[in-house]
Amino acid sequence: MDPSLPEAIVRLLAQRRQSLADVVASAPLPAAFDALLIASDFAATVLREMPDALALMQGPPLPPPTLDPALPTQWPGLLRRWRKLGSLRLIWRDVAGLDDVDATLAGASALADAAIETALGAVEAQVAAAHGVIRDGDGQPQRMVVFGLGKLGGGELNFSSDVDLIFAHEHGGSSDGARPLDADAYYARIGQRLIHLLDEVSADGFCYRVDMRLRPFGGVGRLALSFAAMEQYYQSEGRDWERYAWIKARPVAGDRAAGERLLATLRPFVYRRYLDYTALDGLREMKAAIAADERRELADHLKLGPGGIREIEFLVQALQLIRGGRERALRTRSLLPALAALAAGGHLPAATATALAGAYRFLRRIENRVQMFADQQVHALPADAVAAHRIAVGLGHAGLAALRDELACQRAQVAAEFERLLAARRRGAGSPTALHEYWLALPDGGDPQALTDAGFVRVDAHDASLRDFARAPAVRLLSARSRARLDRVLPRLLREAGAGAGADLALPRLLALLNAISRRGSYLALLDEQPAAASRLVEVAARSALLAERIAAHPLLLDELLDVRAEGAAPTRASLADECAQALAAVAADDIEAGLHALTEFRQGAAFRIGLALLRTRVDATAAAAQLAQLAEVVLTAVLALARRASARGDGDDDGFAVLGYGSIGGGELGFMSDLDLVFLHGGGHDGDGARRCARLAQKLVSLLGTLTPAGTLYEVDVRLRPDGAKGLLVASLDSFADYQRQRAWTWEHQALVRARGIAGAPATLARFEAIRAEVLSRQRDAAAVRAEVSAMRRRMRAELDRSGGDRFDLKQGQGGLVDLEFALQYLVLASAHRHPSLLVPRASPGLHAAAGAAGLLPPATCAALAAAHAGLLRRALDCTLDRRPRLVDRDTGIDAARAAVTAAWRELGLEDGSRMT
């Protein structure tokens, strides 16, 4: 016996050993036997009642009892004694250090699952004997589904918890016995008997306390509902707290496969497709309801008190509800895996997630020990000092004071994190301002001087627009909650827009967005709860007309303002492919329309993040253009798979079909609004069924890329660069493509081939295309003739397309612009690839002038000047696209330097006299 134990505990141990004299004498005692007696009076009672329990608690889990249909009066006793033995085993393994708290919670859940399934099977057989069974349309017997919610559903049940259950059934109809019952009455009867068997207190105690209050309509609702009724209820009546409850829902007994089908149906109720900050309203209301319950003294409550278990659960579940609709990894029932997923997704700092997980385990272990003490559903340390000291010592603390100190420290940390979750809105609100008073007085009152003082110049126009917005039916008919959000959000947006550059550009763009989302409470909630998102929105509105328009047209993009990927590492083709696969995994493989919608949302979001990164100079123009091209590659690959399924061709590439990218996508330099220059090949002969199938596949691919979905369209496609242009076949065979390139292609078509590359489709076809391309581009040519043809073609293009004039310069088509740079590099490949095969590898301009320099075709100074010119011109061009401005810009020193570098390279290559540049 430990001499450090207080005298009262020493005496108690002696008394316990005396009361268990028969048990003590019957078998060798395990080393932790005294610790067991200190930890749990309940354990001592079970050992005294069941002498064989000492051996059983040290063995494997006991299987549930067999409930004889002929002896229903024995069922309660069998279940209760089995549950006591199983509970004793959990206490023993915890006290002896054989299980950590995670294993204890999982073991308690498994014990409850087995009890419920065993009891359900017995009462089902009992009801079937009297009334028959209910069958589906195929004549198969149907079972009720028992859903476990709360900690049971999460597989983290505490030791002496009640079980939150909901009963449901998939099919209606009537039972087929001599005394038939309709489905509602039939399953209600099973449910009533199940509850009675589990919950009723007998001489052997209880098995599990059953709580049915989470079912639809609570205590006044029907005991068992059909799946259709459940779906209807949650669509029309479901409340925020029920979304929290169904996060953890799990079929624990009955027809579990049917239960999973219902969960899939209810998933949109629980997890919304957008970032759903309205979940925080439900969190505030639930927390306030707990705090307002004056019947409870919560200060020492391990579950409901400040910094308690419930605050960790609320915090994690709120973040799951906010983001789980977009991120499948967050849709987990159990708290600890959800915490890990939140950290992995960047939604909680890793240190915070680790601290919360530690606090959760600490609190749950204490809660378990408090309940193990007497098998009572309590959530605070005992008032009795000796009992509380026993629990503290059993948990490894020097005494009760040490346990209380550690408990206070852990709870303070949890409370701080919980407060931080709800504090963002308060931090962004500030005190009322003149802009706030001005907005509240609209549409009939309000002094527009507030706009002037805030930093706006076009005050009259803005004042009129704001008054029109205030009069709009969408604003006047807002719910009280949404109107309160708007009254907080709009003055904040006005304040931040007025304080920044581009205020007069930002305001009308912001109003357009608010018009689009005013009836969407979730988006107002995002801007209200997350001031950082509102600040980023103002930045986007001031600097990019294109991104602002896309948000207004597709408010789902507001989510991207808070996406951690926007601040993380630059996307790669592999990371984009992973993200694309995750988007498609959320829809059925055979649902082409849903797949296309998911792809369009993915593409919109990824392109938006690339635009944000470019605006904030987190990436340069060259990297942004390359990322946009990689995004298009990933989308094309996915859409090709959809097109195959839509054409009943499966996912294979046995037809040899392949997609080539020309122009900007081929060169890996795509813009934000670029179309895709595509050419299609197949590996078969000129005729036959294979060619016709590939033609239909190409048509389906082009159609899907241009199909309008609720999220917009993917890409416009240009197929005019195929052999023979608009007159040629949509899909060329490899042989005909090779013949065309060798015998009939114009020089400008060989120039286009310089940037061409395989994007998607049959690897063998793509490999043969590479060989054909290399052969054609490596052909020895008359350099003078190539120079003449390239120069002539460029002169004709400039005459038609160059809009430069005076001090305005066309970034793309102007002399010394981006196309001149491309033509110079294409000339080098056509004239020199037969001597320098390394020129065949790169497709993008930076890679091409680097290869030309490495081959000695351009001096190092020229290569450096061209690299700087390309980067500068491309950045200006992308900026113009982002702000919806034409690529016609005012000349400045940067533009003139870039032009000079490109035209100097033209002169060095002998392409054209650059001295005429003005």
Side-chain angles (χ1 to χ4, degrees):
M1 191 172 293
D2 189 343
S4 67
L5 293 176
E7 183 180 347
I9 298 181
V10 172
R11 287 198 305 269
L12 181 138
L13 267 177
Q15 293 169 1
R16 288 284 183 269
R17 280 176 166 268
Q18 180 62 36
S19 69
L20 294 169
D22 293 342
V23 176
V24 170
S26 65
L29 295 179
F33 188 71
D34 283 350
L36 177 68
L37 298 182
I38 291 173
S40 176
D41 289 349
F42 169 72
T45 300
V46 176
L47 287 168
R48 188 165 54 249
E49 292 176 351
M50 305 179 195
D52 59 342
L54 180 63
L56 293 174
M57 77 179 187
Q58 300 175 69
L62 292 174
T66 299
L67 304 183
D68 188 339
L71 300 170
T73 57
Q74 294 183 3
W75 296 353
L78 289 170
L79 280 172
R80 281 148 182 75
R81 289 189 290 275
W82 169 78
R83 183 257 175 188
K84 285 181 180 179
L85 287 170
S87 298
L88 174 65
R89 181 176 179 275
L90 291 174
I91 301 173
W92 162 250
R93 294 185 64 81
D94 180 21
V95 169
L98 300 174
D99 284 344
D100 59 15
V101 67
D102 298 25
T104 302
L105 299 176
S109 303
L111 190 67
D113 286 359
I116 296 168
E117 182 65 69
T118 300
L120 176 65
V123 298
E124 281 180 326
Q126 191 178 52
V127 172
H131 303 284
V133 297
I134 292 179
R135 301 181 184 276
D136 64 12
D138 296 327
Q140 297 301 310
Q142 297 301 293
R143 298 188 72 195
M144 185 171 77
V145 184
V146 179
F147 289 98
L149 280 74
K151 292 184 173 65
L152 174 62
E156 52 205 14
L157 194 67
N158 39 294
F159 178 79
S160 189
S161 176
D162 57 10
V163 289
D164 295 304
L165 303 182
I166 291 179
F167 304 148
H169 55 92
E170 188 168 20
H171 301 287
S174 297
S175 61
D176 59 3
R179 292 182 292 157
L181 295 173
D182 65 52
D184 287 342
Y186 184 88
Y187 292 115
R189 186 160 301 185
I190 290 175
Q192 289 164 350
R193 295 189 182 188
L194 174 63
I195 294 169
H196 183 78
L197 180 54
L198 293 173
D199 189 270
E200 186 182 36
V201 178
S202 70
D204 295 300
F206 63 93
C207 188
Y208 284 97
R209 308 174 193 91
V210 176
D211 190 338
M212 297 293 298
R213 291 175 296 173
L214 295 183
R215 70 186 188 271
F217 300 109
V220 300
R222 283 181 289 167
L223 200 58
L225 288 178
S226 69
F227 284 12
M230 296 274 282
E231 185 177 359
Q232 175 63 30
Y233 170 83
Y234 290 111
Q235 284 181 351
S236 59
E237 306 279 349
R239 290 157 289 180
D240 284 341
W241 69 260
E242 289 174 301
R243 294 178 60 206
Y244 279 85
W246 277 88
I247 287 176
K248 291 182 174 295
R250 176 173 64 91
V252 297
D255 191 342
R256 301 188 191 198
E260 293 293 350
R261 290 194 290 273
L262 179 61
L263 289 179
T265 302
L266 295 182
R267 188 173 296 124
F269 164 70
V270 180
Y271 296 108
R272 308 294 160 81
R273 292 177 55 248
Y274 38 78
L275 291 188
D276 183 20
Y277 279 89
T278 62
L280 293 184
D281 285 328
L283 174 57
R284 290 189 180 96
E285 291 168 359
M286 289 188 290
K287 181 64 177 173
I290 292 171
D293 189 346
E294 297 179 351
R295 294 170 298 171
R296 296 177 179 173
E297 175 53 56
L298 299 180
D300 295 325
H301 204 287
L302 294 166
K303 179 178 178 181
L304 302 179
I309 296 165
R310 181 56 55 85
E311 288 194 355
I312 304 176
E313 292 172 336
F314 277 173
L315 186 152
V316 171
Q317 289 174 327
L319 294 175
Q320 285 182 275
L321 288 181
I322 288 169
R323 297 182 175 276
R326 305 293 303 276
E327 299 180 43
R328 177 184 288 265
L330 299 182
R331 300 175 203 164
T332 179
R333 297 170 175 123
S334 301
L335 185 137
L336 291 170
L339 256 179
L342 287 167
H347 309 307
L348 278 177
T352 298
T354 299
L356 287 174
Y360 179 76
R361 289 186 170 103
F362 178 81
L363 291 167
R364 293 303 306 274
R365 189 160 185 245
I366 298 175
E367 180 187 46
N368 267 346
R369 286 298 182 91
V370 165
Q371 296 184 359
M372 288 172 176
F373 189 79
D375 193 21
Q376 293 177 346
Q377 190 178 11
V378 291
H379 301 278
L381 290 168
D384 178 77
V386 174
H389 194 89
R390 288 170 59 190
I391 291 173
V393 169
L395 287 166
H397 295 275
L400 182 58
L403 173 59
R404 289 194 182 278
D405 287 345
E406 177 65 15
L407 183 58
C409 179
Q410 295 284 358
R411 293 178 70 153
Q413 188 169 22
V414 171
E417 291 300 331
F418 184 74
E419 177 64 18
R420 191 172 291 116
L421 175 67
L422 300 180
R425 184 171 80 184
R426 293 194 291 273
R427 288 197 301 270
S431 57
T433 64
L435 284 170
H436 188 258
E437 294 171 0
Y438 162 71
W439 163 247
L440 292 182
L442 297 181
D444 300 319
D447 184 354
Q449 180 65 34
L451 295 174
T452 302
D453 295 342
F456 295 97
V457 175
R458 296 173 51 223
V459 170
D460 289 344
H462 297 329
D463 179 61
S465 297
L466 284 162
R467 292 180 190 277
D468 288 343
F469 178 66
R471 292 188 187 97
V475 173
R476 290 189 291 105
L477 297 175
L478 285 175
S479 67
R481 177 177 288 177
S482 292
R483 177 64 200 227
R485 289 195 186 281
L486 180 63
D487 289 345
R488 289 189 293 265
V489 166
L490 194 143
R492 187 190 307 157
L493 294 177
L494 292 177
R495 182 175 69 249
E496 296 201 23
D504 292 295
L505 292 173
L507 196 153
R509 295 170 184 172
L510 290 169
L511 281 182
L513 169 69
L514 289 174
N515 262 314
I517 68 170
S518 57
R519 290 186 178 179
R520 306 284 289 276
S522 57
Y523 295 127
L524 284 174
L526 186 154
L527 296 175
D528 185 27
E529 299 285 356
Q530 294 293 313
S535 299
R536 292 172 186 171
L537 177 62
V538 170
E539 175 193 10
V540 168
R543 298 182 59 191
S544 175
L546 176 65
L547 296 185
E549 287 174 12
R550 287 191 173 172
I551 294 175
H554 308 291
L556 197 66
L557 291 172
L558 279 172
D559 296 359
E560 306 300 336
L561 296 174
L562 289 176
D563 196 312
V564 294
R565 289 169 297 194
E567 303 296 333
T572 63
R573 194 188 190 288
S575 68
L576 289 168
D578 288 344
E579 187 183 347
C580 179
Q582 291 173 19
L584 288 173
V587 300
D590 58 350
D591 192 338
I592 305 300
E593 183 178 348
L596 197 61
H597 186 186
L599 274 177
T600 309
E601 284 187 348
F602 154 69
R603 184 253 175 179
Q604 292 268 28
F608 187 88
R609 291 196 299 273
I610 294 169
L612 281 180
L614 183 61
L615 279 183
R616 298 172 186 166
T617 64
R618 292 188 63 252
V619 297
D620 59 28
T622 303
Q627 290 163 12
L628 289 169
Q630 290 167 349
L631 172 61
E633 285 183 55
V634 168
V635 170
L636 271 171
T637 301
V639 177
L640 177 57
L642 288 181
R644 288 188 186 280
R645 290 201 285 274
S647 303
R649 292 291 300 145
D651 293 321
D653 50 31
D654 56 316
D655 48 25
F657 181 81
V659 183
L660 311 180
Y662 275 60
S664 296
I665 185 174
E669 298 176 340
L670 207 62
F672 287 99
M673 297 185 68
S674 297
D675 58 10
L676 305 183
D677 292 305
L678 301 182
V679 170
F680 306 119
L681 299 179
H682 70 83
H686 293 275
D687 300 308
D689 291 340
R692 285 188 288 273
R693 285 197 302 271
C694 288
R696 288 194 294 271
L697 183 58
Q699 290 168 346
K700 176 57 71 173
L701 175 62
V702 172
S703 173
L704 290 177
L705 287 168
T707 296
L708 181 64
T709 75
T713 57
L714 285 169
Y715 294 99
E716 293 184 12
V717 175
D718 190 337
V719 295
R720 291 175 296 176
L721 290 179
R722 66 188 187 270
D724 290 316
K727 298 178 181 178
L729 294 172
L730 181 61
V731 184
S733 71
L734 278 166
D735 291 341
S736 64
F737 179 83
D739 289 345
Y740 182 86
Q741 296 294 338
R742 291 168 183 146
Q743 300 175 21
R744 295 189 289 126
W746 297 84
T747 298
W748 68 263
E749 290 178 290
H750 288 165
Q751 286 180 247
L753 198 60
V754 169
R755 290 164 69 86
R757 63 191 174 97
I759 300 294
T765 304
L766 295 176
R768 283 198 59 196
F769 159 73
E770 285 294 326
I772 295 167
R773 174 182 176 273
E775 174 202 328
V776 171
L777 294 181
S778 298
R779 182 189 307 162
Q780 186 168 352
R781 294 173 173 83
D782 183 329
V786 174
R787 277 197 301 273
E789 290 189 51
V790 169
S791 298
M793 172 59 72
R794 188 68 193 106
R795 281 195 297 272
R796 287 196 296 272
M797 289 179 65
R798 279 205 211 105
E800 294 180 14
L801 303 173
D802 185 4
R803 295 172 295 168
S804 304
D807 289 332
R808 304 279 283 170
F809 175 65
D810 188 327
L811 291 164
K812 183 175 182 180
Q813 297 292 347
Q815 187 174 4
L818 286 166
V819 176
D820 273 9
L821 176 55
E822 292 172 8
F823 269 53
L825 296 170
Q826 290 162 6
Y827 159 72
L828 280 173
V829 174
L830 294 181
S832 306
H834 67 286
R835 291 183 291 114
H836 302 286
S838 59
L839 294 175
L840 299 174
V841 178
R843 268 68 163 182
S845 295
L848 284 167
H849 56 62
L857 301 174
L858 289 174
T862 300
C863 286
L866 288 179
H870 175 264
L873 293 172
L874 184 60
R875 174 70 205 224
R876 295 288 190 95
L878 290 177
D879 284 347
C880 287
T881 304
L882 281 175
D883 208 26
R884 284 287 199 181
R885 291 180 277 114
R887 288 190 293 253
L888 193 64
V889 299
D890 293 331
R891 287 174 50 187
D892 56 26
T893 55
I895 292 292
D896 286 344
R899 295 180 68 203
V902 175
T903 52
W906 270 62
R907 284 196 298 271
E908 288 179 36
L909 296 174
L911 284 168
E912 178 177 284
D913 183 1
S915 63
R916 292 178 293 130
M917 184 183 77
T918 58

